[in-house]
Amino acid sequence: MIRSMTAFAHHEISSTHGKLSWELRSVNHRYLDISLRVPEEFRSLENNFRTLLQNRLHRGKLEASLRYAAGVGENSTIVVNEPLARALIIACRQIEALTNNSETLKAVDILRWPGVTLDSAPDLEKLGQEAEKLLLTALDDLVATREREGKRLAEFIDSRCDQIAEILVRIRKRRPEIVNGIKDKIYQRLAELDVIPDNNRLEQELVILAQRLDVEEELDRLMAHLDEITAVLERDEPIGRRMDFLMQELNREANTLASKSNDAETTQAAVDLKVLIEQMREQIQNIE
């Protein structure tokens, strides 16, 4: 199944270790470009996160952000910076002696002083495992979204290929009529000029003209490219670059077809082909 490169996913979990949340955003890009933002506590795991992303994605500009808020569990304890607390108590008693203030020092006031209480160190190993597991969940969601969008893109491309095939069939049926019409015009013009032509020379010129206007080769190549597009859409691999190449080939053949056109209807058909090809090319820019 083909994948789009545009998607969004957000997942979060809460536990005694804290609250973790991953946000993934991806848009189209020629290559895989990962912008990863993680809190300082998870810097050592950044390469692990990047590897998980690279294993699942092949193209696109991806912004991946991890957010972490420390939690308070039932067994959480307050860690006291004892040296600082003792220094504060001694300083307070010195001030009381200087001011003859006998007010009792309250412990809660000491605890409010910056730096007296220390945050207990989180279990980084468990946090890292939870963050990686959550990232895989978010990646599953992101990939599923890209596949759903890819399915819609495949349906769009199939529809345009069918329209192009119809135009090619119409052009092929009309070519003999066009060539015969040109011959008739030449004979009619010669009759109006009352000129007796050299039949051998006239036949040579008509053959050269027919060869110059022959578009069978271009029509065959266009149909072959459509068959290739259908086959590529069935591949279980990134196909964006191959599809982009096929669009270039379709457009080149459509230009050649237009240059060989010798009537308004074929010229309009060539223009319609280029419009359909451009519509596909724009959508293919978003395929992984």
Side-chain angles (χ1 to χ4, degrees):
M1 179 180 292
I2 71 171
R3 297 176 182 173
S4 166
M5 287 187 282
T6 302
F8 172 81
H10 175 85
H11 281 268
E12 63 181 42
I13 57 171
S14 296
S15 68
T16 56
H17 302 111
K19 181 178 179 180
L20 291 168
S21 67
W22 275 105
E23 184 174 289
L24 307 179
R25 297 174 180 270
S26 67
V27 295
N28 60 316
H29 195 271
R30 188 173 182 182
Y31 305 105
L32 180 60
D33 181 10
I34 298 175
S35 175
L36 184 61
R37 293 191 294 272
V38 299
E40 192 62 36
E41 296 92 334
F42 297 86
R43 289 295 180 188
S44 61
L45 298 174
E46 188 170 343
N47 286 337
N48 293 358
F49 297 148
R50 192 175 295 274
T51 299
L52 291 176
L53 295 169
Q54 291 172 339
N55 288 341
R56 296 292 301 278
L57 307 174
H58 303 281
R59 291 182 70 197
K61 182 176 179 59
L62 176 72
E63 294 182 0
S65 301
L66 173 64
R67 292 182 176 85
Y68 168 65
V72 179
E74 295 178 357
N75 299 323
S76 297
T77 58
I78 297 176
V79 180
V80 177
N81 186 344
E82 292 186 8
L84 178 58
R86 290 193 184 97
L88 283 171
I89 292 171
I90 293 172
C92 287
R93 288 174 178 171
Q94 289 176 344
I95 296 298
E96 289 173 359
L98 290 174
T99 61
N100 294 320
N101 187 347
S102 60
E103 184 177 348
T104 303
L105 180 65
K106 295 180 180 180
V108 70
D109 295 328
I110 300 297
L111 290 174
R112 290 196 184 105
W113 190 268
V116 170
T117 59
L118 302 174
D119 295 331
S120 57
D123 189 335
L124 292 180
E125 182 177 355
K126 290 184 178 179
L127 273 175
Q129 292 174 355
E130 290 181 352
E132 289 185 5
K133 184 178 179 181
L134 184 63
L135 177 56
L136 290 174
T137 301
L139 261 173
D140 287 341
D141 191 9
L142 186 81
V143 170
T145 301
R146 290 169 68 138
E147 288 180 348
R148 286 194 299 271
E149 180 63 23
K151 182 179 180 181
R152 288 192 287 269
L153 290 175
E155 292 171 352
F156 176 90
I157 293 169
D158 276 335
S159 172
R160 297 305 183 274
C161 285
D162 290 342
Q163 293 179 55
I164 290 175
E166 292 175 2
I167 293 174
L168 296 181
V169 170
R170 191 166 68 244
I171 293 175
R172 194 187 297 273
K173 288 182 177 179
R174 180 165 168 74
R175 292 315 291 176
E177 179 183 343
I178 294 172
V179 173
N180 290 331
I182 293 173
K183 290 180 179 179
D184 291 341
K185 287 182 180 180
I186 293 175
Y187 282 115
Q188 182 179 355
R189 183 59 175 166
L190 290 173
E192 291 174 354
L193 295 173
D194 194 18
V195 174
I196 300 176
D198 183 336
N199 289 330
N200 291 332
R201 178 65 183 275
L202 180 58
E203 288 179 2
Q204 291 176 3
E205 293 296 330
L206 288 174
V207 169
I208 292 173
L209 179 61
Q211 290 176 343
R212 190 167 67 247
L213 297 178
D214 182 24
V215 294
E216 286 297 320
E217 187 175 345
E218 286 74 16
L219 294 175
D220 288 341
R221 282 199 291 262
L222 283 166
M223 290 298 296
H225 293 328
L226 294 182
D227 292 339
E228 178 65 14
I229 290 171
T230 301
V232 170
L233 288 174
E234 298 298 324
R235 296 187 180 185
D236 188 18
E237 61 184 38
I239 62 170
R241 292 196 181 101
R242 181 176 291 274
M243 292 291 284
D244 189 55
F245 170 76
L246 288 171
M247 291 304 105
Q248 295 178 31
E249 291 300 300
L250 280 176
N251 196 58
R252 185 167 66 87
E253 298 299 338
N255 286 333
T256 305
L257 183 64
S259 68
K260 289 185 175 183
S261 170
N262 200 47
D263 73 311
E265 186 173 331
T266 304
T267 300
Q268 183 58 51
V271 171
D272 293 340
L273 284 177
K274 296 182 68 173
V275 169
L276 292 170
I277 294 168
E278 179 61 21
Q279 289 175 354
M280 285 198 295
R281 191 194 66 79
E282 289 177 356
Q283 297 299 321
I284 285 170
Q285 300 306 307
N286 202 32
I287 291 179
E288 185 180 43

